[in-house]
């Protein structure tokens, strides 16, 4: 989830351009609706109070320019406010892109850490919104419990990842062996401890609030943590599976914004009034072309194409391998009409480029729905941005909302179309079995391999 | 989840809860739109509303307290009888029952959500909730079917395609629902819609995953020694022509079930945990009723420490006895398998070590008390102690969670399905965590990954990957000294 980019295409109410009056209208409208629908029940005075009080009382997030460094402010003080905003966003965009490249250069491990950091920050942002909405700062235990649950779920997922990819490393260490073998049980016990603490912390007057926060935490975990782990799994499959999808989403943002800016006329969806059909379609075509080209350029390098492995001899991550079929140039014969246009019989492509078309299509057509979801969420809870982390752009979640579904899609795509089960996982599970079972399986496999001619019967190693 | 039992511990909760909730919310007017909450009605009339007339008349003489007791008692016996019948009918029926219970639980919780948020008229929302339920169920059932009916699936072409791209298809279906949700956002109702979306997802997380773990427990067994046979059949089907120069092992000749739809009951893994939770409920109630003095937790004022501890010991003993009885019968301890030839389920195997009597030395302390030096037990009974302990110590937290939930949303029962007991969720709230625990426990302590499944996965790898794994396994076994030169040839 390295998408730290100019959020041109998925603005929602982001950036200083979104007029506050819209927020005010929405606030007023919702407030009225909710209070009128409350009228038949007094019971909701207690909780309807909560909701309607919150509607009018949520403070607006201060404008993001508060965070802009003084330097920038002075340099741009001459320009009108609209262009100033444009420049701030542009500069921040370039900064984020450069940071992205730098981290790619530094390798997979740094990327993993970056993903982890982003995940924690996103979680923090969403939970903070929940606190503000429910005014639950003073609920007993709740902050602790939320972070505890985040820790548990991360422990569970990272444990599974570590066990898979570090199988050889883990075999050597005795304590790690124990942790891996009983990993699920340990994770479950940790989660249970958190669950019991939650039940014990229920306080008489605050039941509903506490349940809301509990559910809020779990849904947030579901969204942020699972997505980030799928991203890491994609990363281990090969950096290209990480880079191409993310850059497709970014490119779609930017090009949709640009097309909308220059040609935009027909509104796309009521939820985000600044999106236009021209931007959408223009963004779609440019993203497909971009994905195609990016795939072509990245497929040449082993650094991007090979699955990330941990080699115990050098104690680091290496990406060296024989590139799979997907990344070898093949000749495709063109369909007749393209033949006449391009005046060639065949074209050499990497098969991966065909897949990249599918990925880019998803990024342009379905990815924006993640953005609409986040816009709706922000309107529902009357916030302008998720947080104020990045000047000109809002919070980290604002940058990643279009990525929500992309990571899952890429993962599902890989497991369905590209490869079968993970060999290191199969190996790791084999090594966990009882010795007698291992022996049985060994004999069966041997027979099978000899049968298929993969293994020579006379080979003695 | 045929656990339809008297949640006896719950019943005495009802009156004080009512009083409390009445004093807390003087204007508990939710009943206007929430006919099911019955926050202001006496518990008795609520249950009597659904009680059949017959019972009403028969019990009209007794005082209201005893009448309630009798209604609950009769319903309890009815549910237990129902449980036995379902078990008798076999695994397929159980699966269907589990699914129905799951749907009903989902419905109950979603209805509460509707009531809380007055969201009956939100566009599309009912449709979307049921649609998401369908998607998630499709995903889970597909995985289960693919795992346990592997050979059947490989044979039929449409099923094979569905199973190969199963995840992709499920994800696509889910995405369609997600997009529909986004498109259905209506200007004035954003927050409500997001609440219901979150509510639906949390409900799915709780209800559907638990029910699928239950089904998993239902089907899973341990490693039986017909592993060879199973694998042989797999490889044979895969190669399709070349026969292995072995005949199938002799002990799988006559599938047990051909004669015997009578006894084939899905196994210990399913029945023992559920019965432990049920027993804990009943025992804790009994102990609390007779000896209860010290309150346990503010959340449920009628629970007492005496009930809790008494229930704990009684459940452990019950678990020991039950597992002893069940381990003796082959039809309880074998995994359910799909037999290609007869196209039906079979439950037949050579029981594994877990279900063979072994001798244990009794520690010194107890030796003097009982006067016996060793005792014959099934290893499974040791595990059943762990299961019973969990059921008695942590299971109740599921109940407290549900109590808190009901208080938070000012409802007395989840629904009014079962007279005297409330909704289906009321019966299953202590089971929440049990199914997950059993699953994790089995996977961690009793057996590892399923070998036949591993072999299936192995067969789908590329040849160079297969070779790599094979060599690693060989060196691993050689390190352990398991491979002799003769075997290595």
């Amino acid at each position: 989830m390295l998408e730290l980019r100019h959020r041109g295409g998925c603005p929602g109410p982001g950036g200083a351009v979104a007029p506050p009056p819209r927020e005010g209208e929405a606030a007023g409208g919702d407030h009225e609706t909710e209070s009128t629908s409350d009228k038949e029940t007094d019971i909701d005075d207690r909780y309807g109070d909560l909701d309607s009080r919150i509607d009018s009382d949520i403070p607006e997030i201060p404008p993001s320019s508060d965070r802009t460094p003084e330097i920038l402010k002075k340099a741009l003080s001459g320009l009108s406010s609209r262009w100033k905003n444009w420049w701030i966003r542009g500069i921040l965009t370039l900064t984020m892109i450069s940071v992205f490249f730098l981290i790619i250069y530094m390798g997979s491990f740094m990327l993993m850490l970056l993903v982890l950091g982003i995940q924690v920050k996103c979680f923090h942002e969403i939970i903070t919104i929940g606190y503000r909405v429910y005014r639950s700062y003073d609920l007993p235990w709740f902050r602790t419990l939320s972070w505890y649950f985040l820790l548990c779920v991360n422990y569970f997922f990272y444990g599974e990842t570590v066990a898979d990819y570090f199988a050889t490393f883990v075999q050597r260490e005795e304590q790690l062996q124990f942790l891996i073998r009983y990993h699920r049980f340990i994770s479950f016990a940790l989660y249970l401890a958190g669950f019991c603490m939650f039940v014990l912390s229920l306080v008489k007057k605050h039941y509903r609030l506490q349940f809301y926060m509990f559910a809020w935490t779990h849904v947030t975990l579901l969204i942020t943590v699972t997505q980030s782990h799928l991203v890491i799994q994609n990363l281990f499959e090969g950096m290209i599976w990480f880079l191409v999808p993310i850059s497709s989403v970014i490119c779609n943002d930017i090009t949709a914004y640009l097309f909308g800016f220059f040609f935009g006329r027909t509104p796309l969806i009521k939820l985000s009034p600044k999106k236009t059909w021209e931007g959408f379609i223009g963004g779609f075509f440019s993203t497909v072309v971009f994905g195609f080209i990016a795939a072509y350029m990245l497929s040449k390098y082993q650094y991007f194409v090979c699955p990330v492995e941990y080699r115990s001899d050098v104690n680091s991550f290496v990406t060296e391998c024989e590139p799979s079929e997907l990344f070898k140039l093949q000749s495709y014969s063109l369909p007749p009409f393209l033949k006449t246009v391009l005046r060639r019989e065949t074209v050499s492509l990497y098969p991966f480029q065909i897949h990249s078309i599918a990925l880019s299509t998803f990024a342009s057509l379905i990815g924006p729905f993640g953005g609409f979801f986040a816009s709706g969420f922000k309107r529902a809870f009357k916030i302008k941005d998720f947080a104020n982390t990045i000047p000109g752009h809002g919070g980290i979640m604002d940058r990643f909302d279009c990525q929500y579904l992309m990571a899952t899609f890429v993962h599902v795509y890989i497991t369905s179309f590209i490869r079968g089960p993970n060999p290191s996982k199969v190996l790791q599970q084999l090594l966990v079995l009882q010795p007698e079972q291992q022996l049985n399986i060994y004999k069966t496999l041997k027979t099978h391999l000899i049968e298929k001619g993969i293994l020579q019967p006379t080979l003695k190693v | 989840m045929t656990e339809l039992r008297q949640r006896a511990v719950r019943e005495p909760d009802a009156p004080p809860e009512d009083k409390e909730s009445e004093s807390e919310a003087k204007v508990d007017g939710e009943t206007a739109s929430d006919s099911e909450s019955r926050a202001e009605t006496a518990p008795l009339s609520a249950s009597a509303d659904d009680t059949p007339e017959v019972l009403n008349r028969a019990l009209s003489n007794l005082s209201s307290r005893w009448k309630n007791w009798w209604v609950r008692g009769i319903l309890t016996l009815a549910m237990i009888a129902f449980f036995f019948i379902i078990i008798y009918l076999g695994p397929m029926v159980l699966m269907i029952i589990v699914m129905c219970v799951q749907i009903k639980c989902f419905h109950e919780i979603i209805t509460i959500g509707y009531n809380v948020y007055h969201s009956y008229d939100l566009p599309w929302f009912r449709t979307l909730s049921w649609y998401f339920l369908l998607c998630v169920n499709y995903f889970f059932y597909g995985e289960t079917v693919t795992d346990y009916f592997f050979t059947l699936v490989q044979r039929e072409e449409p099923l094979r395609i569905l199973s190969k791209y199963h995840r992709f298809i499920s994800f696509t279906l889910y995405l369609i629902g997600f997009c529909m949700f986004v498109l259905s956002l209506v200007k004035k109702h954003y927050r409500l819609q997001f609440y219901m979306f979150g509510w639906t997802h949390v409900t799915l997380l709780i209800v559907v995953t638990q029910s699928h773990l239950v089904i998993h427990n239902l089907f899973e067994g341990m490693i039986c020694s017909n592993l060879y046979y199973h694998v042989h059949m797999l490889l044979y089907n895969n190669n399709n022509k070349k026969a292995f120069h072995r005949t199938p092992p002799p002990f799988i000749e006559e599938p047990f079930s051909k004669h015997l739809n009578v006894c084939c009951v899905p196994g210990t893994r399913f029945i023992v945990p559920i019965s432990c939770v049920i027993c804990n409920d009943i025992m804790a109630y009994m102990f609390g009723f007779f000896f209860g003095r010290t309150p346990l937790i503010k959340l449920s004022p009628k629970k007492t420490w005496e009930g809790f501890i008494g229930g704990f010991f009684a459940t452990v003993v019950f678990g020991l006895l039950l597992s002893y009885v069940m381990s003796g019968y082959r039809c309880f301890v074998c995994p359910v398998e799909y037999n290609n030839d007869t196209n039906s389920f079979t439950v037949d195997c050579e029981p594994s070590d877990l279900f063979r009597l072994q001798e244990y030395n009794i520690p010194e302390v107890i030796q003097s008390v009982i006067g016996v030096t060793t005792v014959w037990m099934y290893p499974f009974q040791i595990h059943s102690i762990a299961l019973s302990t969990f059921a008695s110590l942590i299971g109740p937290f599921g109940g407290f969670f549900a109590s808190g939930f009901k208080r938070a949303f000012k409802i007395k029962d989840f629904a009014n399905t079962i007279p005297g007991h409330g909704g289906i969720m009321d019966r299953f709230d202590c089971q929440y965590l049990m199914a997950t625990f059993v699953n994790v426990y089995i996977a961690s302590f009793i057996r590892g990954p399923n070998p036949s499944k591993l072999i299936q996965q192995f067969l789908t790898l590329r040849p160079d990957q297969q070779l790599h794994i094979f060599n690693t396994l060989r060196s691993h076994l050689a390190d352990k000294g398991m491979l002799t030169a003769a075997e290595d040839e």
Side-chain angles (χ1 to χ4, degrees), chain B residues 324-353:
Chain B
Y324 180 77
V325 165
M326 290 182 75
S327 301
Y329 293 95
R330 191 162 20 162
C331 60
F332 285 115
V333 306
C334 289
V336 179
E337 281 180 1
Y338 187 77
N339 190 323
N340 288 327
D341 308 320
T342 61
N343 262 11
S344 70
F345 286 99
T346 62
V347 184
D348 187 20
C349 67
E350 200 54 38
S352 89
D353 285 335

Side-chain angles (χ1 to χ4, degrees), chain A residues 25 29-30 33-34 37-38 40-44 46-47 51 54-55 58 133-134 171 181-182 184-185 188 192 195-196 198-200 202 204 207-208 211-212 214-216 218-219 222 269-271 362 366 369-370 372-373 376-377 379-382 405 408-409 411-413 415-417 421-423 426-427 429-433 435-449 451-452 454-455 457-461, chain B residues 20 24-25 27-30 32-33 116-118 164-165 167-168 171 175 178-179 181-183 185 187-191 194-195 197-199 201-202 205 223 227-228 231 235 239 242-244 246 297-299 390 394 397-398 400-401 404-405 407-410 432-433 436-437 440-441 443-445 448-449 451 454-455 457-463 465-474 476-477 480 482-483 485 487-489:
Chain A
E25 281 165 22
D30 278 340
T33 310
E34 286 184 50
S37 66
D38 285 349
E40 82 258 35
T41 58
D42 286 339
I43 192 280
D44 282 302
R46 177 176 296 273
Y47 296 106
D51 284 342
I54 283 159
D55 277 0
I58 286 181
V133 169
Y134 292 112
Q171 284 307 105
R181 206 192 157 90
Y182 298 109
R184 287 204 177 181
F185 191 76
F188 184 63
L192 266 190
F195 183 83
C196 295
F198 169 71
V199 171
L200 292 172
L202 288 173
K204 190 162 174 181
Y207 289 149
R208 193 184 274 210
F211 271 93
Y212 278 165
F214 187 76
W216 190 286
H218 278 68
V219 175
L222 197 72
I269 187 172
K270 277 205 292 292
L271 202 48
F362 183 87
I366 310 291
F369 277 91
F372 301 150
F373 187 84
F377 181 84
R379 295 202 177 207
F381 294 100
K382 308 269 179 295
L405 305 164
T408 320
F409 175 76
H411 185 80
V412 169
Y413 189 86
T415 48
S416 302
F417 296 111
N422 184 0
V426 175
L427 181 62
Q429 287 181 316
L430 272 178
L431 293 172
V432 163
L433 291 174
E436 300 81 25
Q437 297 169 316
Q438 288 179 339
L439 199 57
N440 291 338
I441 291 183
Y442 172 76
K443 291 184 198 156
T444 316
L445 294 183
K446 184 167 168 183
T447 322
H448 173 73
L449 286 175
E451 195 77 27
K452 287 244 169 182
I454 299 172
L455 190 66
T458 54
L459 192 66
K460 246 190 190 275
V461 170
Chain B
E20 272 190 64
E24 269 188 62
V27 282
D28 199 286
E30 224 178 36
S33 57
V116 169
Y117 293 114
H118 305 283
K164 188 159 152 65
Y165 299 109
R167 287 199 177 183
F168 191 74
F171 183 64
L175 265 190
F178 182 84
C179 295
F181 169 72
V182 171
L183 292 172
L185 289 172
K187 188 165 178 182
K188 300 261 181 288
H189 299 291
Y190 289 147
R191 188 184 282 209
F194 271 93
Y195 277 166
F197 188 76
W199 190 286
H201 278 68
V202 175
L205 196 71
I223 295 124
L227 167 66
Y228 265 135
V231 171
L235 293 175
N239 286 338
K242 292 190 222 167
F244 279 73
R246 293 185 226 173
I297 187 173
K298 276 204 292 294
L299 200 50
F390 184 85
I394 310 290
F397 277 91
F400 299 150
F401 187 85
F405 181 83
R407 288 189 183 223
F409 295 100
K410 304 269 179 290
Y432 287 165
L433 306 165
T436 321
F437 176 77
V440 168
Y441 187 86
S444 304
F445 293 109
L454 276 183
I455 295 190
Q457 289 182 320
F458 182 85
L459 293 173
T460 62
L461 292 173
R462 297 195 309 257
Q465 292 171 323
Q466 291 182 346
L467 201 57
H468 170 71
I469 292 183
F470 176 75
N471 287 331
T472 315
L473 186 63
R474 189 213 308 247
H476 178 79
L477 285 175
K480 291 218 167 195
M482 304 273 308
L483 280 182
E487 281 171 345
D488 198 12
E489 183 36 68

Side-chain angles (χ1 to χ4, degrees), chain A residues 14-165:
Chain A
V17 261
R22 178 168 304 126
E23 290 304 298
E25 281 165 22
D30 278 340
H31 180 78
E32 280 160 22
T33 310
E34 286 184 50
S35 52
T36 49
S37 66
D38 285 349
K39 68 177 181 307
E40 82 258 35
T41 58
D42 286 339
I43 192 280
D44 282 302
D45 275 357
R46 177 176 296 273
Y47 296 106
D49 258 7
L50 203 63
D51 284 342
S52 54
R53 185 164 35 103
I54 283 159
D55 277 0
S56 47
D57 283 355
I58 286 181
E60 283 279 330
I61 298 183
S64 47
S65 59
D66 282 347
R67 293 276 302 251
T68 321
E70 270 312 301
I71 300 178
L72 276 178
K73 272 198 199 155
K74 266 189 261 137
L76 302 169
S77 54
L79 303 165
S80 75
S81 99
R82 179 163 181 240
W83 284 106
K84 186 160 150 195
N85 190 51
W86 229 86
W87 273 105
I88 292 178
R89 286 183 78 112
I91 290 174
L92 257 304
T93 303
L94 291 173
T95 315
M96 291 193 283
I97 294 180
S98 337
V99 169
F100 188 29
F101 281 148
L102 186 69
I103 297 191
I104 293 178
Y105 178 76
M106 282 165 63
S108 349
F109 186 67
M110 292 306 295
L111 272 174
M112 254 177 72
L113 285 184
L114 183 71
V115 171
L116 182 63
I118 290 176
Q119 174 210 104
V120 171
K121 189 71 179 71
C122 288
F123 182 79
H124 175 70
E125 283 179 8
I126 300 184
I127 292 289
T128 312
I129 293 175
Y131 286 153
R132 210 169 36 227
V133 169
Y134 292 112
R135 294 166 183 265
S136 47
Y137 284 114
D138 46 354
L139 275 186
W141 284 95
F142 210 77
R143 299 188 96 116
T144 321
L145 274 177
S146 305
W147 289 104
Y148 178 80
F149 280 127
L150 176 70
L151 205 73
C152 282
V153 180
N154 264 319
Y155 174 75
F156 172 69
F157 277 117
Y158 272 100
E160 303 258 311
T161 318
V162 163
D164 285 354
Y165 291 103

Side-chain angles (χ1 to χ4, degrees), chain A residues 194-326:
Chain A
F195 183 83
C196 295
M197 289 312 304
F198 169 71
V199 171
L200 292 172
S201 78
L202 288 173
V203 172
K204 190 162 174 181
K205 296 269 179 286
H206 299 291
Y207 289 149
R208 193 184 274 210
L209 271 183
Q210 291 182 289
F211 271 93
Y212 278 165
M213 288 310 297
F214 187 76
W216 190 286
T217 307
H218 278 68
V219 175
T220 311
L221 284 173
L222 197 72
I223 297 177
T224 54
V225 179
T226 51
Q227 297 281 332
S228 83
H229 279 276
L230 291 177
V231 166
I232 292 184
Q233 300 244 5
N234 296 344
L235 178 67
F236 273 99
E237 192 63 26
M239 279 229 263
I240 199 171
W241 289 104
F242 173 79
L243 291 175
V244 168
I246 288 183
S247 38
S248 298
V249 175
I250 294 165
C251 169
N252 185 59
D253 275 357
I254 298 177
T255 49
Y257 175 74
L258 291 174
F259 273 88
F261 188 77
F262 290 117
F263 307 116
R265 218 150 299 150
T266 340
L268 180 59
I269 187 172
K270 277 205 292 292
L271 202 48
S272 297
K274 298 206 99 196
K275 307 248 169 119
T276 57
W277 275 103
E278 291 83 4
F280 188 70
I281 296 180
F284 168 61
F285 283 112
S286 3
T287 308
V288 170
V289 169
F290 169 81
F292 202 73
I293 297 177
Y296 178 76
M297 288 173 48
L298 291 180
S299 299
K300 293 193 211 149
Y301 300 97
Q302 268 192 12
Y303 182 66
F304 294 117
V305 157
C306 291
V308 176
E309 278 167 10
Y310 182 80
R311 290 276 170 80
S312 30
D313 37 347
V314 297
N315 246 17
S316 71
F317 290 96
V318 296
T319 49
E320 282 165 15
C321 66
E322 189 57 36
S324 85
E325 288 305 311
L326 216 53

Side-chain angles (χ1 to χ4, degrees), chain B residues 12-13 34 39 44-45 52 61 66 134 141 191 264 276 282 307 380 383 394 426:
Chain B
D13 276 345
D34 185 10
L44 186 54
S45 50
N61 301 340
W66 285 105
L134 203 74
Y141 272 102
R191 188 184 282 209
C264 267
C276 285
I282 298 177
F380 181 67
H383 292 296
I394 310 290
D426 287 298

